[in-house]
Amino acid sequence: MKIVKFYLWWLLKAPWVKKYGFTSVFKRFLKSSITKRLQTEAISICVCTSDRNKQLKEVFLPSLQQLSMFRNIEVILVCAAADEVEVNDSITESNIKGVRVISCEKKFSRSGYLNLALKNVSNKYVFISDIDISLPSNFYSLFYRYVNKNQAWFP
């Protein structure tokens, strides 16, 4: 009985509850437990490109290099069939592991290429990006903070 009283006091009457409020503390607890659970999950990053190898080399791949060494990620890059050799050469030069290149014979349409990428995703959590977007160095903490089941994040 004393243990139950202590936990009730700790949850409802402790000095930190008075300072921050019960709902605030409860939200912080839930957010931290969700974040810890999420951080074990792998992330799939879907990107599509057509005739934009310069942006791939100068923007996307350098930002990806800082991420690939820290966590378990899968990158699915859908490109036009004519660009496949150039894209593969760029990825080989950057020495990034875990990038899967899928070539598409169809005329470029962003939605069509992204749908193809999404069909090939093997992880539960997906991030869709453009080729000219540089991923921030704190990408993982932001992703785990804002993404949960049935949620979208638009940075």
Side-chain angles (χ1 to χ4, degrees), residues 5 9 16 39 73 75 82 86 103-104 118 139 149 151:
K5 284 183 181 180
W9 171 86
W16 54 268
Q39 287 178 351
I73 62 170
V75 179
E86 219 176 314
S103 66
C104 186
L118 290 171
F139 172 76
K149 186 177 181 183
Q151 287 182 333

Side-chain angles (χ1 to χ4, degrees), residues 64 68-69 73-75 91-92 94-100:
L64 192 62
S68 61
M69 61 185 77
I73 62 170
E74 167 193 46
V75 179
I91 293 169
T92 305
S94 66
N95 201 21
I96 296 176
K97 306 292 185 224
V99 178
R100 191 168 10 146

Side-chain angles (χ1 to χ4, degrees), residues 49-62 83 86-87 90 131-132:
T49 182
S50 176
D51 200 26
R52 296 182 74 189
N53 198 38
K54 182 179 178 187
Q55 288 86 356
L56 177 69
K57 279 183 175 179
E58 295 176 2
V59 180
F60 187 74
L61 290 178
D83 297 336
E86 219 176 314
V87 168
S90 297
I131 204 74
D132 58 352

